Amino acid sequence: MLLQAKHLIPAVNGLHWRDSLEIHKLLQDNKDFCIYYNNVEKISVEKLAVALPVHLLAVLLDDCVLSAMMVDLVINAMVALGGNRKESWKSDNESLVEATMVASTLHLLHGFISPEFVDIVQVLLAHSKVDLFIETAFGAVHNVVRSLEAKLLYRGSDHPKKCPLKSAKFHCQQAEAALQFLHSLCQEKLFSERVAKNKELCGKGGLLMLAKSILSLSVSPGFVKEATTVASMYRIKAKVLSLLHHIFEADSVSFLDELERAGNLHLAQPIASEVLSLLKLGLSDSPNDIASHEYPMGFVLLNAMRLAEVFSDDSNFQRFFTDHFSTILSALFCLSHEEFVSMLCSSALSSREDDATLDYDLFKSAGWVLSVFSSSSLFDVPQFKLNFQNNLTMSSYANQRTSLVIKIMANLHCFAPDVCIEEDRNRFIKAFVSGLRKDPVSMPIQLPNSSYTPVAQRATSVCRNICSLLRHADFLITNGLDVKDLMMFRVFCKQLQPLIRSEFEGSQATVKVKSLLLSCMVVTIACLQQRKEPLNLNIERASEEPNVRVEGAATKYNVNENMEIVPRLKESDADACNLETSSLDTRSNRGKSLVEDGDGDGDGDVELAHELFKGSGSGEVKEDEKQGKKRKRSIMSDDQVEMMEKAIVDEPDMRRSAAWIKKCAEKLNQNGPRVTAMQLKNWLNNRRAKIARAMSGKTSKGKK
């Protein structure tokens, strides 16, 4: 065989210079499908073709070994770059090299593995050092952000850390590229789940410390006019907020719970504070400035609201957001009707945030940073292309923002006695009403004073704004708003009615409040009746009484103070509803101002409902319908419950098998609302506890 190979290799090499036509001619000249090389060596093309796949496979295996070595190289580089180091001053050039190495090394994975992140994630998760990579990669990016922070702060000052403008601009690009890579990895569910389980990064707060450093980034006056650098900094903030949201919402583990078990919950407090500051900024005049910016600045406000929704749904942070976010929400509802509708009840905003991803070029980056050492002056910073493919449509952006406002209000109003103290009952609604009395100059949202309704007219204006939001919310149900969040929001609205009357008693505006509230409810009912199919409302609590439900056709029934279904309309009420339906907005123009439909003083809505928020239940959520500490309004439809009951018959010990639970959750998600494996496990445990209590009760009765 060796002798054969010795003669075959030079023969094959000798044929390389021949093109396909010449080889075809040689085969035609010889009837035995062989080629004679130098008229001596005989090459069987058929045998060569048979051996080719084995040869190619061997070459591919060599490539796999090489790729594995390159992945090891990336991990080892991250270990060197991401080690925990004490704060120490570095020269400008040193920090530039470090930032470029972090971003370029991460992006090398595209070349070694695949341009698709789903492929990169599969390779990384199969690697034995994946957890080490996760810890050190986030650590390396954190080191880059630390050095960037100093450059942005000291620009234009006499501080010894002062750096050239081009250096700071390039450094910001590298930081954005590095964080963008980690963010893209975390968008893959399997990778974000692995990150959430990492004890060093999450349990000990490494991820939160990175987020804190990024969210606290600010620029000195010397950078204010540097549009590209400022925009890049805001995109970095938007991406870290989105990254945190992916980790917080992991199905397999509760990030905040793990943080609490490790005794590091205090590390999340600065993040909550930064989120609150961004919400104040984002809901003021600033969004218009950001949206009209020359360069896209990322979904800072939208991602901050997503994270606020998670924080407000956690008992550890509910009070904080109640105390500090209630006044912001109050200010929103104190806006004039035109301003309020254009901001929260319209799908056509005057401006919005735009996002973009950096089309990073590691060769340009490496070339530029090497030029720093070869030239006394800095060359122009390479301009990377911005990719706008991930942007939302205007209507999608507006609908998501409004849905998040409703979700946050529903979370804050929800009271769970098993995890909340009694003094927090109705804390949110009291704070909300108190904020309605503020003068325009003391409002937490900085808008022109003319945007706010005068205090004397505020009762009518606030109620009218609530009516418009409830009307618009029916449209949002088909665009991502959870029905259970809307139900809880109605609970809040019903309890708000007498409090507004009491708070503004004596003002002329209260004369219209009662009829205005009735108007809004009739309008809302009519909107619901236009739906093609009835709503199936099924609220399951993650407490010891998991099967408390609210279900029925929402077009025909109310939810009474005990959260039970009762008839909603009398025949005369139904007639009134039919009369009112003719004046409703269609779905295509529901976002338009109500002022356009009437005379501008609210009389168009004023003949309408003191029953406004019937169908919403009482102002308090009673103990047997409590929400759990996490994901308090988890759901399963009747069909899903029936499927589970049948499955339990076949597999009684299902709750003990994580594989069974995961399999059932996947099957349930194909036949109704999404249910996570963790939620399903809680449901099984609660069901077992309920059966045990029932059996215990029967036993005790038998003994008696």
Side-chain angles (χ1 to χ4, degrees):
M1 291 176 65
L2 289 174
L3 185 62
Q4 251 185 338
K6 181 179 178 181
H7 294 291
L8 184 62
I9 291 173
V12 171
N13 288 335
L15 293 173
H16 280 173
W17 62 272
R18 297 180 181 273
D19 59 27
S20 59
L21 288 176
E22 288 180 299
I23 292 178
H24 180 69
K25 187 175 183 302
L26 288 173
L27 289 173
Q28 280 187 327
D29 293 342
N30 301 283
K31 306 298 183 181
D32 55 357
F33 207 64
C34 293
I35 296 177
Y36 291 88
Y37 175 68
N38 290 337
N39 296 321
V40 176
E41 299 294 339
K42 180 180 179 181
I43 301 174
S44 172
V45 176
E46 184 177 0
K47 290 181 179 180
L48 185 65
V50 171
L52 188 60
V54 179
H55 170 71
L56 291 177
L57 183 60
V59 174
L60 287 172
L61 289 175
D62 288 341
D63 288 344
C64 290
V65 173
L66 181 62
S67 296
M69 292 172 63
M70 293 298 99
V71 173
D72 287 336
L73 173 65
V74 171
I75 295 176
N76 292 333
M78 289 297 105
V79 172
L81 294 166
N84 292 326
R85 299 194 297 271
K86 293 183 179 179
E87 291 293 333
S88 60
W89 183 81
K90 289 185 176 182
S91 70
D92 181 43
N93 290 350
E94 287 176 335
S95 61
L96 284 178
V97 170
E98 180 186 53
T100 308
M101 286 188 67
V102 172
S104 298
T105 303
L106 288 172
H107 281 266
L108 277 176
L109 292 174
H110 280 310
F112 297 153
I113 302 175
S114 167
E116 301 298 329
F117 280 97
V118 63
D119 298 327
I120 296 176
V121 165
Q122 289 177 355
V123 172
L124 289 176
L125 292 179
H127 200 284
S128 59
K129 295 181 180 179
V130 59
D131 291 313
L132 180 63
F133 168 78
I134 290 173
E135 294 165 16
T136 55
F138 278 90
V141 174
H142 194 181
N143 289 332
V144 172
V145 172
R146 285 194 187 105
S147 53
L148 172 64
E149 183 178 17
K151 291 185 179 182
L152 294 178
L153 285 177
Y154 299 126
R155 167 68 185 166
S157 69
D158 295 328
H159 197 278
K161 293 184 182 179
K162 176 183 175 181
C163 68
L165 181 63
K166 291 181 180 179
S167 171
K169 181 179 179 180
F170 179 79
H171 197 139
C172 199
Q173 279 185 344
Q174 301 305 307
E176 181 181 1
L179 183 69
Q180 177 179 293
F181 192 92
L182 295 182
H183 174 257
S184 297
L185 289 177
C186 289
Q187 285 184 307
E188 301 297 328
K189 185 176 179 60
L190 292 176
F191 193 84
S192 63
E193 295 280 341
R194 190 62 177 255
V195 173
K197 293 177 182 177
N198 188 287
K199 296 188 182 299
E200 288 292 325
L201 192 61
C202 295
K204 295 186 178 180
L207 177 60
L208 294 177
M209 287 185 276
L210 166 63
K212 180 184 176 183
S213 296
I214 291 176
L215 295 176
S216 60
L217 285 175
S218 58
V219 295
S220 66
F223 277 107
V224 171
K225 294 183 179 180
E226 292 300 318
T228 55
T229 303
V230 173
S232 179
M233 183 190 72
Y234 274 102
R235 288 197 300 270
I236 293 174
K237 292 186 176 186
K239 283 181 173 60
V240 81
L241 289 170
S242 177
L243 189 153
L244 282 176
H245 185 256
H246 284 299
I247 306 303
F248 278 25
E249 292 289 80
D251 289 338
S252 60
V253 61
S254 169
F255 179 89
L256 292 175
D257 279 353
E258 291 299 312
L259 202 65
E260 184 178 14
R261 290 191 190 99
N264 292 320
L265 193 61
H266 63 281
L267 296 175
Q269 185 62 51
I271 307 301
S273 300
E274 290 290 346
V275 167
L276 189 67
S277 299
L278 288 172
L279 291 177
K280 286 182 180 179
L281 180 70
L283 294 172
S284 299
D285 274 340
S286 301
N288 294 327
D289 298 335
I290 292 176
S292 60
H293 200 277
E294 182 180 357
Y295 299 95
M297 304 178 77
F299 295 135
V300 178
L301 173 60
L302 200 62
N303 289 337
M305 294 180 74
R306 288 167 178 160
L307 212 54
E309 191 268 329
V310 176
F311 276 123
S312 65
D313 198 27
D314 185 89
S315 60
N316 293 301
F317 294 93
Q318 190 180 48
R319 173 180 277 209
F320 173 79
F321 272 85
T322 295
D323 292 344
H324 295 91
F325 194 53
S326 299
T327 53
I328 298 176
L329 292 169
S330 299
L332 286 178
F333 283 84
C334 289
L335 291 172
S336 65
H337 189 64
E338 296 87 343
E339 291 277 354
F340 182 85
V341 169
S342 66
M343 179 179 283
L344 289 177
C345 303
S346 173
S347 297
L349 304 177
S350 58
S351 60
R352 63 150 196 194
E353 299 172 300
D354 280 317
D355 193 20
T357 55
L358 208 61
D359 193 1
Y360 184 70
D361 189 327
L362 61 90
F363 294 103
K364 283 185 179 179
S365 298
W368 190 90
V369 78
L370 289 174
S371 71
V372 171
F373 297 93
S374 61
S375 174
S376 57
S377 60
L378 295 178
F379 296 104
D380 289 339
V381 176
Q383 293 295 322
F384 298 132
K385 180 183 177 182
L386 291 175
N387 190 333
F388 296 87
Q389 290 182 355
N390 294 329
N391 264 332
L392 299 172
T393 63
M394 179 67 79
S395 60
S396 178
Y397 178 87
N399 293 340
Q400 286 192 39
R401 193 174 71 168
T402 303
S403 296
L404 286 166
V405 169
I406 294 175
K407 287 181 178 182
I408 293 171
M409 295 182 73
N411 289 343
L412 295 179
H413 188 58
C414 183
F415 179 78
D418 51 337
V419 293
C420 300
I421 59 177
E422 183 60 30
E423 64 183 84
D424 284 342
R425 188 186 294 273
N426 294 325
R427 186 184 186 92
F428 169 60
I429 199 168
K430 291 175 183 176
F432 181 88
V433 173
S434 176
L436 297 178
R437 275 289 185 185
K438 289 185 177 293
D439 294 328
V441 291
S442 60
M443 287 293 186
I445 303 177
Q446 300 304 312
L447 292 170
N449 290 349
S450 59
S451 299
Y452 293 102
T453 305
V455 176
Q457 304 170 16
R458 200 159 284 174
T460 303
S461 177
V462 169
C463 291
R464 193 176 182 206
N465 288 343
I466 291 175
C467 288
S468 297
L469 185 55
L470 279 171
R471 179 188 298 182
H472 187 61
D474 175 62
F475 167 70
L476 296 178
I477 288 176
T478 60
N479 288 269
L481 177 62
D482 198 295
V483 176
K484 293 158 295 304
D485 289 315
L486 180 56
M487 288 286 291
M488 186 57 67
F489 181 60
R490 287 201 184 115
V491 171
F492 167 80
C493 291
K494 182 181 179 183
Q495 188 177 358
L496 185 66
Q497 173 193 353
L499 293 179
I500 291 180
R501 266 201 221 107
S502 174
E503 184 73 14
F504 293 92
E505 188 175 2
S507 68
Q508 295 180 352
T510 56
V511 176
K512 296 182 180 180
V513 171
K514 182 176 179 180
S515 56
L516 178 59
L517 297 181
L518 177 60
S519 169
C520 184
M521 190 58 202
V522 173
V523 168
T524 304
I525 294 170
C527 290
L528 290 172
Q529 285 186 327
Q530 290 180 342
R531 296 176 62 89
K532 294 182 179 180
E533 55 184 29
L535 296 177
N536 181 16
L537 307 178
N538 180 357
I539 300 180
E540 289 190 9
R541 311 296 181 182
S543 64
E544 290 188 359
E545 299 292 340
N547 292 323
V548 179
R549 299 176 188 166
V550 180
E551 53 189 355
T555 55
K556 297 181 180 179
Y557 299 100
N558 273 333
V559 185
N560 67 12
E561 295 184 356
N562 294 321
M563 299 296 282
E564 298 170 345
I565 298 299
V566 295
R568 173 173 287 180
L569 293 174
K570 299 177 182 178
E571 292 182 5
S572 57
D573 294 325
D575 293 338
C577 179
N578 291 334
L579 290 174
E580 188 63 32
T581 303
S582 61
S583 65
L584 291 177
D585 295 342
T586 62
R587 289 187 183 271
S588 61
N589 65 2
R590 187 161 297 160
K592 294 183 179 179
S593 170
L594 295 179
V595 177
E596 298 175 7
D597 300 330
D599 55 10
D601 62 358
D603 290 339
D605 293 317
V606 165
E607 300 301 315
L608 324 156
H610 149 134
E611 303 274 336
L612 166 64
F613 310 112
K614 265 189 183 178
S616 61
S618 68
E620 299 179 359
V621 181
K622 295 199 173 181
E623 187 162 355
D624 61 345
E625 49 193 56
K626 300 304 176 295
Q627 309 277 7
K629 181 177 179 181
K630 290 275 172 274
R631 297 293 93 199
K632 290 173 276 196
R633 287 176 295 283
S634 58
I635 65 166
M636 274 211 304
S637 68
D638 289 345
D639 290 340
Q640 289 173 318
V641 172
E642 185 178 349
M643 289 172 63
M644 282 306 304
E645 294 293 349
K646 291 179 180 178
I648 291 171
V649 173
D650 298 330
E651 189 65 27
D653 292 330
M654 179 190 300
R655 64 186 182 83
R656 301 181 184 275
S657 172
W660 264 99
I661 292 175
K662 183 179 179 181
K663 182 178 179 181
C664 286
E666 292 173 352
K667 189 172 182 180
L668 289 175
N669 292 338
Q670 298 173 1
N671 296 274
R674 184 174 180 271
V675 180
T676 67
M678 187 67 69
Q679 289 171 327
L680 183 56
K681 183 177 180 180
N682 288 337
W683 183 87
L684 289 168
N685 289 335
N686 290 331
R687 176 185 177 278
R688 181 171 177 271
K690 185 176 180 181
I691 293 174
R693 285 194 300 272
M695 295 298 294
S696 176
K698 290 181 180 179
T699 303
S700 61
K701 288 181 180 179
K703 289 181 179 179
K704 290 180 181 180

